[in-house]
Amino acid sequence: KRGFKNINRVEYKVLNIGQIDHLAEKYGITEFSLQNLYINSLISQFDNVKVLGNGEIKGKFSFKVNAISEKAKLAIEAAGGSVEIVK
């Protein structure tokens, strides 16, 4: 074997902002929190969620996630939404 496995690596489930409008329409979600995503079976109970800035967002949504990219945060706030980082 070569290399190593980083035991401190943090794994995230990724949501792109291009998917947000589709998920909100399909599941009726206005607040993307860890609990709402778990209830709708989009993540498992102990998953960490990160929002990335690929795509466009049209609606006004609030996010309570573990991590978010700078581009995604700017796009969400420009659309009138809010972002909160949860540990």
Side-chain angles (χ1 to χ4, degrees), residues 2-39:
R2 294 190 185 257
F4 67 98
K5 190 132 185 109
N6 188 353
I7 60 172
N8 296 320
R9 179 181 168 93
V10 178
E11 292 285 331
Y12 290 104
K13 291 287 182 173
V14 175
L15 286 177
N16 284 309
I17 60 173
Q19 300 171 315
I20 298 299
D21 290 320
H22 173 69
L23 292 175
E25 183 179 306
K26 184 174 180 180
Y27 296 103
I29 301 173
T30 57
E31 179 184 352
F32 285 86
S33 66
L34 299 176
Q35 183 178 10
N36 284 344
L37 294 172
Y38 175 68
I39 289 170

Side-chain angles (χ1 to χ4, degrees), residues 63-78:
F63 289 85
K64 293 182 180 178
V65 292
N66 299 105
I68 189 164
S69 71
E70 193 63 35
K71 183 178 175 184
K73 184 175 181 180
L74 293 174
I76 291 166
E77 290 175 348

